[in-house]
């Protein structure tokens, strides 16, 4: 798919995500909106996957380390054919398999359970190392939040990936500059990320993480070292009153706000 096609799909996913958050009365909509362009590019262009065979041994692996934005992953998986699209309406309902954090034992296409921050990248390093040990050709991609990069486990994993020469591993940092309750610069600001990753021996690419013409080539880049993409994104991207507002990390629009957001996202379709 070309960037224009991917943009259209991303807008559709944003609209369905918004609707599901409003209907469920919960969700992490700000970080979902910032990450959806990256998820769309992965699932509709980059990943080698078979929705009817979610455990195919040759599939590429994707780990959503920032597991609190699970809804964005569920909507993407549904649109890609891993789960029925109508199942998105069950998000957070009793007995639904679509919980607030992704569960690999219940949801096809989910590679590992995530939620506790700082876990996804270490698991992804293990997946990439396993491919090296067995001679498998699959690649591993992992998406973290920028606030999540404050976890020490991530930096241990970064050091290990460089030591092991994991050129089959791509880390994407969703650098939307906000975490729960505060901006990154007001907590434990590790930005800028590129010189730090480079110092560990990684290749690093900086992009606009909400622009498909930059996302796609970055994800398709291949080299001889592990690759980190620092994706500069906007919290609440696509919805004017949410964008770059810290309080939309974990907040639900009221009826009036919902109507405005639907209109804005629908206008772009």
């Amino acid at each position: 798919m070309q960037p224009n096609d991917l943009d259209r799909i991303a807008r559709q996913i944003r609209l369905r995500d918004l609707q599901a958050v409003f209907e469920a009365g919960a969700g992490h909509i700000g970080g979902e909106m910032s990450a959806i362009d990256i998820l769309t590019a992965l699932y509709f262009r980059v990943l080698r996957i078979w929705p009817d065979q979610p455990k195919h041994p040759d599939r590429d692996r994707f780990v959503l380390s920032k597991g609190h934005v699970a809804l964005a992953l569920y909507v993407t998986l549904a649109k890609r054919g891993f789960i029925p699209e109508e199942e998105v309406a069950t998000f957070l309902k009793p007995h639904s398999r679509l919980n607030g954090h992704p569960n690999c034992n219940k949801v096809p296409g989910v590679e590992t359970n995530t939620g506790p921050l700082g876990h996804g990248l270490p698991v992804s390093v293990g997946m990439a190392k396993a491919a090296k040990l067995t001679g498998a050709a699959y690649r591993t991609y992992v998406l973290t939040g920028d606030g999540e990069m404050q976890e020490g486990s991530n930096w241990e994993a970064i050091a290990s990936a460089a030591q092991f020469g994991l050129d089959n591993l791509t880390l994407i940092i969703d650098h939307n500059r906000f975490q729960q309750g505060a901006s990154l610069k007001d907590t434990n600001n590790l930005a800028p990320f590129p010189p730090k990753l480079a110092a560990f021996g990684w290749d690093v690419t900086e992009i606009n993480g909400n622009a498909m013409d930059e996302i796609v080539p970055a994800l398709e880049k291949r080299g001889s070292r592990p690759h980190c993409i620092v994706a500069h994104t906007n919290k609440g991207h696509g919805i004017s009153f949410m964008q770059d507002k810290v309080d939309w990390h974990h907040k639900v629009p009221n009826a009036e706000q919902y109507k405005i957001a639907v209109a804005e996202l629908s206008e772009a379709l």
Side-chain angles (χ1 to χ4, degrees):
M1 285 195 177
Q2 299 305 309
N4 286 345
D5 301 314
L6 296 170
D7 277 329
R8 174 178 49 81
I9 293 171
R11 290 192 292 269
Q12 294 169 350
I13 292 172
R14 278 194 172 86
L15 181 59
R16 186 65 189 94
D17 186 287
L18 166 70
Q19 293 169 336
V21 167
F22 182 72
E23 292 164 3
H28 290 80
I29 194 166
E32 288 158 13
M33 295 296 146
S34 70
I36 282 172
D37 293 306
I38 295 163
L39 292 174
T40 301
L42 282 165
Y43 278 90
F44 290 87
R45 165 85 181 227
V46 176
L47 294 177
R48 183 176 56 171
I49 47 177
W50 295 266
D52 60 338
Q53 300 178 68
K55 294 296 185 183
H56 194 293
D58 296 330
R59 73 192 183 281
D60 288 335
R61 272 65 165 170
F62 170 70
V63 173
L64 181 68
S65 191
K66 48 179 289 181
H68 53 285
V69 303
L71 178 57
L73 178 60
Y74 298 150
V75 178
T76 305
L77 289 172
K79 196 159 190 65
R80 189 63 176 84
F82 282 87
I83 60 176
E85 291 201 55
E86 57 269 22
E87 189 174 355
V88 174
T90 72
F91 177 59
L92 295 182
K93 290 186 176 179
H95 309 297
S96 171
R97 58 182 177 171
L98 305 186
N99 298 318
H101 295 90
N103 187 326
C104 66
N105 297 309
K106 295 182 178 181
V107 184
V110 173
E111 293 291 345
T112 189
N113 295 10
T114 55
L117 299 178
H119 286 195
L121 179 54
V123 170
S124 299
V125 168
M127 291 176 174
K129 179 62 172 174
K132 290 290 187 183
L133 291 171
T134 60
Y138 69 80
R139 297 187 61 84
T140 300
Y141 301 81
V142 54
L143 179 65
T144 70
D146 51 3
E148 180 182 3
M149 294 304 295
Q150 296 166 353
E151 297 284 353
S153 53
N154 282 325
W155 297 96
E156 294 179 30
I158 286 166
S160 297
Q163 172 69 28
F164 298 147
L166 301 182
D167 58 354
N168 57 349
L169 174 66
T170 298
L171 161 65
I172 309 113
I173 301 175
D174 183 5
H175 193 8
N176 63 29
R177 309 178 307 286
F178 293 96
Q179 57 195 115
Q180 182 169 332
S183 66
L184 192 69
K185 65 180 177 61
D186 293 330
T187 55
N188 182 15
N189 190 12
L190 293 177
F193 291 102
K196 296 177 177 64
L197 270 293
F200 276 85
W202 284 54
D203 288 333
V204 184
T205 304
E206 273 191 281
I207 64 168
N208 177 348
N210 297 127
M212 285 297 178
D213 59 350
E214 295 188 31
I215 296 170
V216 170
L219 289 171
E220 293 181 340
K221 180 179 178 180
R222 301 292 180 261
S224 59
R225 301 189 292 178
H227 182 212
C228 175
I229 300 170
V230 179
H232 295 272
T233 62
N234 300 305
K235 196 103 169 179
H237 185 79
I239 302 173
S240 59
F241 61 86
M242 290 186 191
Q243 189 159 307
D244 296 334
K245 300 291 194 301
V246 66
D247 49 335
W248 284 101
H249 178 86
H250 189 217
K251 184 178 177 180
V252 178
N254 59 34
E256 182 179 352
Q257 292 169 327
Y258 176 68
K259 184 183 294 187
I260 293 169
V262 168
E264 290 183 355
L265 293 176
S266 299
E267 183 179 1
L269 289 175

